[in-house]
């Protein structure tokens, strides 16, 4: 999945930008108070996409 598509998906499910890390961007789901990091790669592995969604408590794409 492309990074920009993942970020768009996260934002439509109520997740928002928290901060920038060294090589990652941190997103937070403010309703569940869960956080996850999104790497700054153009393509993100589907396994990692599912883990990010699970960490944030949203359904898998």
């Amino acid at each position: 999945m492309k990074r920009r598509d993942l970020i768009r998906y996260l934002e439509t499910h109520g997740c928002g930008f928290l901060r920038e890390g060294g090589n990652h961007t941190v997103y937070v789901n403010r309703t569940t108070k869960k956080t996850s990091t999104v790497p700054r790669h153009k393509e993100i592995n589907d396994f990692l996409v599912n883990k990010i969604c699970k960490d944030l408590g949203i359904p898998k794409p």
Side-chain angles (χ1 to χ4, degrees):
M1 176 179 255
K2 295 219 180 272
R3 183 178 191 272
R4 64 176 175 230
D5 294 335
L6 174 61
I7 290 174
R8 191 175 301 131
Y9 179 79
L10 295 178
E11 290 175 349
T12 58
H13 283 83
C15 299
F17 171 81
L18 181 64
R19 65 181 172 86
E20 291 285 342
N23 295 319
H24 294 78
T25 304
V26 180
Y27 276 83
V28 62
N29 186 345
R30 299 198 192 277
T31 57
T32 60
K33 299 193 180 7
K34 295 183 177 182
T35 62
S36 185
T37 58
V38 178
R40 285 195 208 119
H41 302 290
K42 289 185 180 186
E43 283 286 331
I44 299 175
N45 189 342
D46 289 338
F47 177 77
L48 184 57
V49 170
N50 291 337
K51 184 190 179 312
I52 291 169
C53 292
K54 182 181 175 185
D55 289 347
L56 292 171
I58 61 174
K60 297 176 186 177

